[in-house]
Amino acid sequence: MVLTIKEFSQIVADFTGKKMVSCPICGPKLSICCTLLSIWGIVMLSLMGVFFQIHSAALFEDIPFDEAEFHNSSMHFTDYVHKQYEKTALNCFIAAGIYLLFFFFSCTQQRMNAKASYEMS
Amino acid sequence: MGSMFRSEEMTLCQLFLQSEAAYTCVSELGELGLVQFRDLNPDVNAFQRKFVNEVRRCDEMERKLRFLEKEIKKDGIPMLDTGDNPDAPAPREMIDLEATFEKLENEMKEVNANSEALKRNFLELTELKHILRKTQTFFEEAELHHTQAMHDPSLTEESLGLLGEDIHRGQALKLGFVAGVILREKIPAFERMLWRGDQVNKSVFIIFFQGEQLKTRVKKICEGLVLGQTQDHRHRVLVAAARNIKVWFIKVRKIKAIYYSLNMFNLDVTQKCLIAECWCPVADLDRIQQALRRGNERSGSSVPSILNRMVTRQEPPTYNRTNKFTQVFQSIVDAYGVASYREVNPALYTIVTFPFLFAVMFGDFGHGFIMFLFGLFLVVREKQLQAKKIEDEIFGMFFGGRYIILMMGAFSMYTGLLYNDIYSKSISIFSSSWYPIDPNTNKTYSLSTLEANNQLQLHPIYSNQLGPYPFGLDPKRYFKKPLNIFCEFIPQVVFLASIFGYLVILVFVKWVKYDGSPESTRKAPNLLIGLINMFLFQGSKDQYMFTGQGHFQGFLIFLIVICVPWMWFVKPLLLRHWHRNGQQYQPVLLVEANGRALLEDQDEVIYHDDTPSHKHDDSDDEEEEFDFGEVFIHQSIHTIEYCLGCISHTASYLRLWALSLAHAQLSEVLWGMVMRMALTMNSQILGIIILPPIFAFWAGATVVVLILMEGLSAFLHALRLHWVEFQSKFYDGSGYKFQPFSFDNLGEYGIEDK
């Protein structure tokens, strides 16, 4: 994980053509908060994705159910529900991916802040 | 051996310290922190005591140190805190310290005065510099205007500038001016004054500075460099002081604490030795002796210090040994009331019951997990966080309660699993193997099964009331007072056992007698209704579970009714009877028991009352005057509270159920209103876009509302259940805390003697 963060920060540095230390966007507290939030998001959203994927009954209320669409599609009820389950699962996986990117972002922010405060003292 | 169940056994001791060894001995005792000195001169005010001079010198030193600290903080110099704990310096070192501080303070004051003067000078000169600069630009501008106006006569009056008109008329007019600086808020008034002046005679004054003078001014500004040097010096002094200031503070406070304690001692007749009285735990007498020996060696005194145990009628202080884990639970109990001496300490049970009751109300695996992680973080990073010394009050609160947070989190995870709630979602870890057959339809579980089956209806209230009641009455508490056993303990136990003990038995009878088959299930009686019917004498035959139940219940009611006047009247009436006959029954028992016990394990026993030097606290020792009215009212309140408490406390435990429901509902609502909105989006793209921010919002609301706010409310309810419902059953809490003389809490000494 550390290596990937390093790589990522290297990529960002190459892309922007700037030194990483130059200017963090978030403060130290905000970046820690964001890191924790994104860890939570990654774990929870991917787990939810898995549970949607296996058609977990407890999540039945959380799938979109459009009656008009169901009647038009002339699908079997179970098939339609399973399709919706998988659609929601995909949403969750994508959201987890977004949080993964966000995690890298906030991690680099945090490292920048740590570096800055280290240089200060 | 420390035990949490009861407080430490304490003893009053008399200390004879040689006057030359007293200082070092007390210093050793302070490092040990196991001795609480009693003030033997309470009538003497602070100025008449023996070591008042030394205390005052310490105060003075502390003041100087505080002054230095303030200066250091002002300059933002980091104070070195190595965390080492120097021994209390010898008395002769005090003079050195005093001299050092004196020197430092004088130096600081001098530097401050100098820099103050220089700063003022510097400011004046800066002002002058600016005036000169401003006037220069002003004149340059005026000249420019002049030339402009000459070339362009069409300019309006306003745009001509301040001097425009006059200059326009030519250089013939002799102009003068005065320049200076003025406070910003005085500008309008000044302007008005000037304007009025203008109305009268339209003249402006100009004073030209000579070039010479300007030169000297500028030269003087250069002298401002001296200021820089002064500041450098100040910085150097402060940095040097910052390196040592923490250690100095500790040293001075230790000296002060020692003299403060020495002030509590008595001088004996020969003036050769000091006599002290102190409370100390019996188990630590050896360590105290060792400390005294060390103190003697350090002072080089040949005569040893003597520690004698004494017998007294006074109530000893309560000393519960705690560690970093039990400390917070002990403080929860102490906040309600410090246990009486050798009373059962509820803190031991609180360690388990508090997190458990909390978790019953906070049962959610996800929320518990977050709380657990937070507690774990605080516990694992304990040392680093402690070293950081974060002075945030709220963080300090969380950090102090880190072990309780950890426990509460772990227990909440457990109850969350029992409730099968994870952020209001349920999971199926294993499927149920409990399939009651519905007697009517012969099919498996349905809603009507639940209504028909009494066993499934088992209310949580049954299991909760068993806990505290039977063990809550502590027979040992009444040990020295046989009257209380017969007039309080026995009727209380009988009273409780007749109602709730009986109910417990009924629960087991019901379990044994009815096997869960449809027939017997239908026949099984409802226990709660049965209990109510027992008081109303309304039980019907088919509701009884064993023969003669009706008569037995009648007998129990009789017992209950008997217990009330027994609790209420017997004790005060007996007390009055004894008092009239002049019998001193209780204190006699007490002293005999105590005295014999002490005589057995130690030969040297000094009877507290025999020593003539303690006349003053005889009044404390004497029994209070007997007042029948007061005793009777006290007993009435206790009895009524006890009987009503049996009902109201049972109802009060319902808050467990109510709060757990409320918590589950709230998290359900949050999920339904927020997360479901994003998940059930019909359009997939929209769903993907709003899911991450919605999740962030949901996570934030979960932490703030469900974990922080609900956690606080569950915490407060758990606190109340412990203080009111649990502890009121058996806990006296009328003791006072053992506050040993210790160097660990030096800060408190500073405030105490102000």
Side-chain angles (χ1 to χ4, degrees):
Chain A
M1 187 54 83
V2 176
L3 197 76
T4 44
I5 293 167
K6 260 185 189 165
E7 280 171 1
F8 182 75
S9 56
Q10 194 54 52
I11 292 163
V12 172
D14 292 344
F15 184 70
T16 53
K18 275 181 188 171
K19 276 264 179 189
M20 287 299 287
V21 196
S22 56
C23 124
I25 300 163
C26 326
K29 277 177 194 160
L30 181 63
S31 57
I32 289 174
C33 188
C34 287
T35 315
L36 293 178
L37 175 73
S38 44
I39 292 172
W40 187 0
I42 293 162
V43 173
M44 184 151 165
L45 286 168
S46 42
L47 274 180
M48 273 167 61
V50 171
F51 288 132
F52 274 116
Q53 197 69 46
I54 61 170
H55 314 304
S56 167
L59 294 170
F60 180 74
E61 284 176 313
D62 296 319
I63 55 164
F65 187 82
D66 192 353
E67 240 168 86
E69 194 193 292
F70 170 58
H71 284 299
N72 290 339
S73 65
S74 71
M75 276 164 96
H76 194 266
F77 179 74
T78 350
D79 291 338
Y80 176 70
V81 166
H82 282 182
K83 197 194 97 193
Q84 295 293 42
Y85 259 119
E86 274 140 34
K87 200 175 103 182
T88 322
L90 186 66
N91 278 7
C92 287
F93 283 131
I94 292 172
I98 292 172
Y99 269 108
L100 193 68
L101 293 180
F102 188 55
F103 171 74
F104 285 129
F105 168 73
S106 37
C107 249
T108 46
Q109 289 293 320
Q110 200 188 328
R111 280 162 55 83
M112 274 188 232
N113 278 310
K115 226 175 213 174
S117 73
Y118 181 76
E119 275 166 13
M120 283 271 283
S121 60
Chain B
M1 189 201 79
S3 137
M4 247 206 119
F5 190 58
R6 289 181 196 280
S7 61
E8 287 285 318
E9 216 170 303
M10 305 298 281
T11 177
L12 189 66
C13 284
Q14 205 168 28
L15 260 176
F16 294 91
L17 300 167
Q18 300 304 309
S19 20
E20 67 265 26
Y23 183 90
T24 47
C25 283
V26 173
S27 136
E28 286 293 331
L29 289 178
E31 299 291 349
L32 196 63
L34 284 168
V35 168
Q36 178 180 358
F37 291 112
R38 292 181 59 206
D39 194 354
L40 295 180
N41 330 300
D43 311 328
V44 184
N45 71 24
F47 303 106
Q48 294 164 337
R49 301 203 173 203
K50 187 159 186 284
F51 297 101
V52 59
N53 225 347
E54 282 79 359
V55 172
R56 210 171 292 151
R57 273 163 65 193
C58 290
D59 269 341
E60 182 64 18
M61 283 198 279
E62 222 183 330
R63 188 192 59 72
K64 281 173 190 158
L65 282 179
R66 272 201 299 271
F67 168 72
L68 276 177
E69 192 187 34
K70 209 176 74 194
E71 295 293 321
I72 290 170
K73 273 191 185 148
K74 212 197 287 172
D75 277 25
I77 300 166
M79 273 174 280
L80 188 71
D81 191 2
T82 47
D84 59 348
N85 189 8
D87 276 349
R92 58 184 173 281
E93 238 183 89
M94 202 165 133
I95 300 161
D96 293 346
L97 283 176
E98 262 179 328
T100 320
F101 300 155
E102 184 75 41
K103 206 183 112 213
L104 268 174
E105 196 203 28
N106 281 345
E107 205 165 333
M108 270 328 291
K109 272 190 177 154
E110 213 168 293
V111 170
N112 274 2
N114 279 349
S115 69
E116 198 95 313
L118 280 170
K119 251 185 202 159
R120 208 177 307 120
N121 224 344
F122 179 70
L123 269 180
E124 265 172 31
L125 291 173
T126 330
E127 272 174 12
L128 276 176
K129 192 173 81 183
H130 279 282
I131 290 165
L132 288 177
R133 202 171 282 159
K134 275 273 146 66
T135 41
Q136 194 185 1
T137 49
F138 179 74
F139 276 117
E140 272 167 9
E141 259 176 40
E143 212 139 305
L144 199 73
H145 267 297
H146 179 62
T147 43
Q148 258 185 0
M150 292 292 239
H151 294 300
D152 188 8
S154 65
L155 275 171
T156 51
E157 284 268 310
E158 288 99 284
S159 61
L160 273 177
L162 199 59
L163 286 179
E165 207 174 314
D166 290 336
I167 293 170
H168 192 62
R169 281 187 207 133
Q171 228 72 18
L173 255 163
K174 180 85 175 169
L175 287 174
F177 85 103
V178 177
V181 280
I182 184 162
L183 283 176
R184 199 170 283 261
E185 52 271 27
K186 281 188 184 162
I187 286 176
F190 186 66
E191 270 178 353
R192 219 174 307 133
M193 288 282 286
L194 273 188
W195 185 73
R196 274 193 208 132
D198 268 6
Q199 288 292 41
V200 181
N201 51 0
K202 283 192 161 195
S203 67
V204 182
F205 295 95
I206 297 179
I207 299 168
F208 281 104
F209 281 109
Q210 286 179 335
E212 268 313 289
Q213 214 169 349
L214 192 122
K215 228 184 231 169
T216 51
R217 297 273 160 183
V218 172
K219 253 187 199 166
K220 269 192 182 170
I221 291 167
C222 298
E223 283 168 16
L225 276 177
V226 181
L227 190 63
Q229 278 170 10
T230 322
Q231 242 149 7
D232 252 14
H233 178 66
R234 178 188 145 90
H235 190 78
R236 267 200 303 278
V237 171
L238 284 181
V239 166
R243 213 169 295 148
N244 286 322
I245 193 151
K246 290 276 174 193
V247 175
W248 284 340
F249 255 120
I250 295 172
K251 277 186 176 172
V252 168
R253 287 198 175 135
K254 275 188 178 176
I255 300 175
K256 191 172 148 197
I258 290 169
Y259 280 119
Y260 192 78
S261 303
L262 286 177
N263 266 338
M264 294 186 186
F265 297 177
N266 253 341
L267 268 180
D268 84 338
V269 204
T270 55
Q271 302 269 321
K272 281 267 172 60
C273 71
L274 288 160
I275 303 168
E277 273 181 27
C278 57
W279 290 109
C280 45
V282 175
D284 285 318
L285 279 175
D286 284 346
R287 290 174 64 195
I288 293 166
Q289 295 273 23
Q290 273 171 13
L292 287 176
R293 216 166 298 141
R294 274 200 305 273
N296 259 340
E297 274 165 25
R298 259 178 56 188
S299 71
S301 159
S302 52
V303 191
S305 305
I306 301 160
L307 183 77
N308 271 329
R309 288 178 74 175
M310 302 164 76
V311 170
T312 178
R313 252 185 257 159
Q314 286 177 34
E315 180 87 345
T318 306
Y319 178 40
N320 288 306
R321 264 178 233 272
T322 52
N323 53 31
K324 62 185 179 181
F325 177 69
T326 55
Q327 197 183 19
V328 60
F329 297 99
Q330 187 67 53
S331 67
I332 282 177
V333 170
D334 285 349
Y336 172 81
V338 177
S340 309
Y341 178 59
R342 302 284 291 154
E343 193 185 10
V344 166
N345 182 9
L348 184 64
Y349 306 104
T350 306
I351 292 173
V352 173
T353 55
F354 192 92
F356 181 70
L357 289 190
F358 172 86
V360 168
M361 295 181 268
F362 197 73
D364 189 303
F365 185 86
H367 302 156
F369 186 60
I370 291 177
M371 189 176 262
F372 178 77
L373 284 184
F374 180 60
L376 197 68
F377 166 76
L378 290 180
V379 168
V380 170
R381 302 290 297 267
E382 194 174 62
K383 293 240 168 68
Q384 288 100 310
L385 289 171
Q386 235 156 15
K388 263 190 198 169
K389 289 199 174 144
I390 301 167
E391 275 172 18
D392 186 42
E393 201 178 334
I394 293 172
F395 178 79
M397 219 166 61
F398 281 127
F399 187 68
R402 58 195 179 279
Y403 285 99
I404 210 169
I405 291 175
L406 184 75
M407 292 279 279
M408 291 192 307
F411 276 65
S412 299
M413 283 160 68
Y414 167 68
T415 52
L417 278 182
L418 287 188
Y419 299 166
N420 204 353
D421 261 345
I422 300 175
Y423 299 118
S424 84
K425 291 282 131 191
S426 53
I427 53 166
S428 158
I429 305 172
F430 46 83
S431 50
S432 170
S433 47
W434 176 248
Y435 291 106
I437 309 291
D438 192 314
N440 302 321
T441 56
N442 266 345
K443 282 184 182 166
T444 50
Y445 180 78
S446 71
L447 205 64
S448 59
T449 323
L450 185 67
E451 279 160 9
N453 191 326
N454 277 326
Q455 265 172 331
L456 288 182
Q457 281 180 7
L458 199 65
H459 209 272
I461 189 173
Y462 288 128
S463 47
N464 273 325
Q465 66 200 41
L466 308 188
Y469 291 174
F471 102 94
L473 297 166
D474 171 23
K476 211 171 170 186
R477 166 188 171 194
Y478 307 100
F479 219 44
K480 288 168 191 160
K481 299 166 188 166
L483 180 68
N484 288 355
I485 289 188
F486 294 111
C487 300
E488 278 179 3
F489 178 68
I490 291 179
Q492 279 179 355
V493 168
V494 170
F495 187 84
L496 275 188
S498 310
I499 305 173
F500 298 107
Y502 176 59
L503 188 63
V504 174
I505 293 168
L506 283 188
V507 170
F508 282 102
V509 169
K510 191 178 166 181
W511 278 353
V512 173
K513 208 168 173 225
Y514 303 94
D515 55 2
S517 67
E519 301 297 296
S520 64
T521 309
R522 212 177 309 133
K523 265 198 278 176
N526 188 327
L527 292 184
L528 206 59
I529 304 289
L531 191 74
I532 294 168
N533 283 342
M534 167 175 148
F535 283 97
L536 301 174
F537 297 104
Q538 276 179 352
S540 56
K541 271 267 158 62
D542 54 323
Q543 287 287 307
Y544 288 152
M545 291 192 285
F546 53 89
T547 46
Q549 194 179 354
H551 296 291
F552 183 62
Q553 287 183 350
F555 171 67
L556 288 181
I557 294 284
F558 172 72
L559 275 184
I560 292 165
V561 171
I562 285 286
C563 282
V564 175
W566 185 2
M567 272 189 268
W568 197 335
F569 300 117
V570 175
K571 187 184 169 189
L573 289 176
L574 261 180
L575 276 177
R576 188 174 66 164
H577 178 72
W578 274 330
H579 182 71
R580 283 196 181 150
N581 294 354
Q583 262 182 324
Q584 283 283 327
Y585 65 104
Q586 273 181 337
V588 175
L589 268 176
L590 190 82
V591 166
E592 272 180 4
N594 246 353
R596 208 176 301 130
L598 279 180
L599 275 168
E600 276 163 13
D601 56 11
Q602 191 157 7
D603 298 333
E604 285 178 286
V605 172
I606 295 166
Y607 282 90
H608 185 234
D609 296 32
D610 299 345
T611 40
S613 56
H614 313 306
K615 276 265 152 55
H616 57 268
D617 46 27
D618 277 356
S619 53
D620 307 345
D621 297 352
E622 261 174 38
E623 277 291 302
E624 290 157 42
E625 280 286 301
F626 183 75
D627 181 0
F628 178 71
E630 198 178 308
V631 172
F632 186 73
I633 288 172
H634 187 76
Q635 192 70 18
S636 305
I637 291 171
H638 259 275
T639 310
I640 293 169
E641 199 192 317
Y642 191 83
C643 297
L644 290 184
C646 285
I647 300 158
S648 73
H649 291 177
T650 309
S652 200
Y653 277 105
L654 284 178
R655 75 187 62 226
L656 292 173
W657 171 63
L659 260 97
S660 70
L661 280 188
H663 185 76
Q665 275 301 312
L666 205 60
S667 60
E668 171 85 49
V669 164
L670 185 69
W671 182 279
M673 304 266 278
V674 180
M675 278 300 267
R676 193 164 293 159
M677 198 175 81
L679 290 171
T680 54
M681 243 347 130
N682 260 324
S683 142
Q684 179 141 25
I685 297 171
L686 207 60
I688 291 171
I689 291 172
I690 68 165
L691 188 52
I694 287 280
F695 173 80
F697 177 76
W698 175 84
T702 297
V703 169
V704 173
V705 178
L706 290 176
I707 297 182
L708 280 178
M709 274 172 57
E710 277 279 286
L712 187 68
S713 116
F715 183 89
L716 291 178
H717 279 282
L719 205 61
R720 187 218 135 94
L721 283 176
H722 276 83
W723 282 349
V724 180
E725 274 77 26
F726 178 50
Q727 292 180 4
S728 73
K729 285 280 176 296
F730 65 99
Y731 186 55
D732 217 14
S734 58
Y736 64 101
K737 215 175 176 158
F738 176 58
Q739 286 169 317
F741 166 67
S742 164
F743 288 148
D744 290 341
N745 39 16
L746 282 170
E748 289 163 30
Y749 266 90
I751 303 153
E752 194 181 9
D753 57 345
K754 283 279 134 61

